[in-house]
Amino acid sequence: MNNSVEINVIGNQERDGQKSTTEYYGGGQYFERDGTRYLIYLDQDKDSDALTSYTLKIKDHILELTQKGTVNTRMSFETGRTYPVNYVTEYGSLTLDVFTEDLKYQWSETSASIMITYKLFTGGELLSTNQLTINFSEKD
């Protein structure tokens, strides 16, 4: 797969019985280095025009998602494991626990798909149930 890719990210969240969906579609960069896969893209907020950078680092059975912008965080996902995360915003920081129920990858020569099902907890209480689907393919 070459470096320039088209990316589609769909995030589904359920919290207190309320469901919401977010979606991103745009370009990004994909590359492999020393057995680790990387996907990097920028998202611009429609209301504030603020830019947020996202870096996915995939090695072995662990996916690490780093977000830098109005929110700064690094989340680790590994099936059946819980990882702590510090979620930092301009208003302060929040400590969460991320429990990954399922993490699946599908790779081909020109495209890839990643699906993460996870739960967020704060203080031992369930905050939300989430699913993140990331599809990307070579730009034509």
Side-chain angles (χ1 to χ4, degrees), residues 40-64:
I40 300 170
Y41 65 96
L42 291 173
D43 187 13
Q44 187 170 15
D45 184 270
K46 293 173 188 154
D47 297 325
S48 69
D49 288 335
L51 285 177
T52 300
S53 71
Y54 294 88
T55 302
L56 280 79
K57 177 181 173 185
I58 304 141
K59 183 172 175 100
D60 301 323
H61 301 287
I62 300 174
L63 182 145
E64 185 177 279

Side-chain angles (χ1 to χ4, degrees), residues 18 38 40 44 71 81 86-87 89-90 96 108 118 120 122 125-126 128:
Q18 301 293 315
Y38 295 89
I40 300 170
Q44 187 170 15
V71 171
R81 296 276 316 263
N86 195 21
Y87 197 80
T89 72
E90 59 188 276
L96 303 171
S108 78
Y118 64 99
L120 290 176
T122 182
E125 297 292 319
L126 178 64
S128 64

Side-chain angles (χ1 to χ4, degrees), residues 47-128:
D47 297 325
S48 69
D49 288 335
L51 285 177
T52 300
S53 71
Y54 294 88
T55 302
L56 280 79
K57 177 181 173 185
I58 304 141
K59 183 172 175 100
D60 301 323
H61 301 287
I62 300 174
L63 182 145
E64 185 177 279
L65 171 63
T66 302
Q67 179 179 348
K68 292 182 182 177
T70 55
V71 171
N72 296 292
T73 189
R74 180 177 297 148
M75 301 170 79
S76 296
F77 302 96
E78 182 180 6
T79 301
R81 296 276 316 263
T82 300
Y83 286 95
V85 62
N86 195 21
Y87 197 80
V88 181
T89 72
E90 59 188 276
Y91 304 108
S93 80
L94 177 65
T95 301
L96 303 171
D97 289 313
V98 178
F99 172 72
T100 306
E101 293 182 324
D102 197 21
L103 174 59
K104 294 180 183 174
Y105 311 113
Q106 290 183 329
W107 302 95
S108 78
E109 298 230 356
T110 60
S111 65
S113 179
I114 302 167
M115 189 170 74
I116 309 165
T117 305
Y118 64 99
K119 292 183 176 181
L120 290 176
F121 295 87
T122 182
E125 297 292 319
L126 178 64
L127 184 63
S128 64

Side-chain angles (χ1 to χ4, degrees), residues 18-29:
Q18 301 293 315
K19 295 181 180 182
S20 64
T21 299
T22 57
E23 188 166 4
Y24 165 83
Y25 182 81
Q29 299 295 311

